[in-house]
Amino acid sequence: MIVLYLIFVIFSLFVCIGFILLLIAQIWAEFVIAAPFIPIPSQIEEQVVQSLKLTKNNIFYDLGCGDGRVLIKAVEQNPEIKTVGVDIAFLPFLISKWKTRKYKNIQIIRKDFFKTDLKEATHIFVYLSSKMDELSAKIQKECRPGTRIVSCDFQFQNLKPIEIIDLHNPTSKRGQKLFVYQIWIGSSR
């Protein structure tokens, strides 16, 4: 009986330590690298994917993919696309890896998207509140002409959207607008 009690105590201790480590990793992501895990409202997932206008053989990147919900919705609607989710935070990375495990055309990478090569991307989705201008410079430098970028709620200040979609989302302050951009040759439009 004492042995079972000791095993239970040791197991509980390991679970608590694991939980504390995950919590520290999440706090690190939110406050040190300024990238909190805030998912888009589920009721706008469909509109986000539609605004991307994905077709066969597209390569879709979700920068700061969180729990992978946009990637999953995109693949369910467009099974012939390739998708890449990039997230530096440990907890969202684990969640998205788990949720996307049965999809062969979803790749999840735990990496800083500023250190991720975006040359392959034909479509990009972002839901970020900070570092938008830094990201737009990277996108303009690395992405080929015709790359379609969709940002939820936050605009790139040095890019002009080709379309602004009002999502009419009365249930949340998040997920109100989509800003759609297109990379043009020699232009910061």
Side-chain angles (χ1 to χ4, degrees), residues 41-44 167-176:
S42 58
Q43 63 267 27
I44 69 163
L167 298 172
H168 306 289
N169 183 9
T171 61
S172 174
K173 289 184 180 182
R174 296 178 292 116
Q176 293 297 313

Side-chain angles (χ1 to χ4, degrees), residues 54-188:
L54 295 161
T55 59
K56 183 179 178 180
N57 299 322
N58 285 158
I59 303 170
F60 167 49
Y61 278 61
D62 185 347
L63 304 180
C65 68
D67 62 2
R69 66 177 62 192
V70 175
L71 297 165
I72 292 168
K73 182 68 78 173
V75 166
E76 286 174 348
Q77 292 184 12
N78 306 279
E80 296 177 347
I81 64 169
K82 176 184 173 188
T83 64
V84 179
V86 183
D87 209 307
I88 195 168
F90 186 66
L91 188 58
F93 167 77
L94 286 179
I95 293 169
S96 61
K97 272 296 234 194
W98 176 256
K99 286 178 68 176
T100 63
R101 70 192 181 284
K102 61 184 170 189
Y103 298 93
K104 301 242 184 277
N105 50 346
I106 297 179
Q107 177 185 10
I108 304 294
I109 301 169
R110 182 168 181 248
K111 190 173 185 179
D112 181 344
F113 52 72
F114 285 106
K115 296 177 182 172
T116 301
D117 186 355
L118 302 176
K119 290 181 183 122
E120 267 195 352
T122 61
H123 296 73
I124 296 173
F125 174 69
V126 296
Y127 183 43
L128 306 169
S129 60
S130 63
K131 301 189 179 189
M132 291 290 284
D133 292 330
E134 196 177 332
L135 180 58
S136 73
K138 177 178 176 56
I139 287 171
Q140 289 179 79
K141 179 182 174 190
E142 292 183 17
C143 292
R144 59 186 149 202
T147 302
R148 187 174 181 89
I149 300 104
V150 174
S151 174
C152 183
D153 288 334
F154 303 99
Q155 289 190 57
F156 292 109
Q157 295 304 310
N158 57 350
L159 292 175
K160 183 180 176 190
I162 59 170
E163 184 179 6
I164 299 173
I165 302 168
D166 190 344
L167 298 172
H168 306 289
N169 183 9
T171 61
S172 174
K173 289 184 180 182
R174 296 178 292 116
Q176 293 297 313
K177 289 187 179 182
L178 296 177
F179 300 92
V180 182
Y181 304 89
Q182 191 97 23
I183 299 298
W184 303 97
I185 299 174
S187 171
S188 63

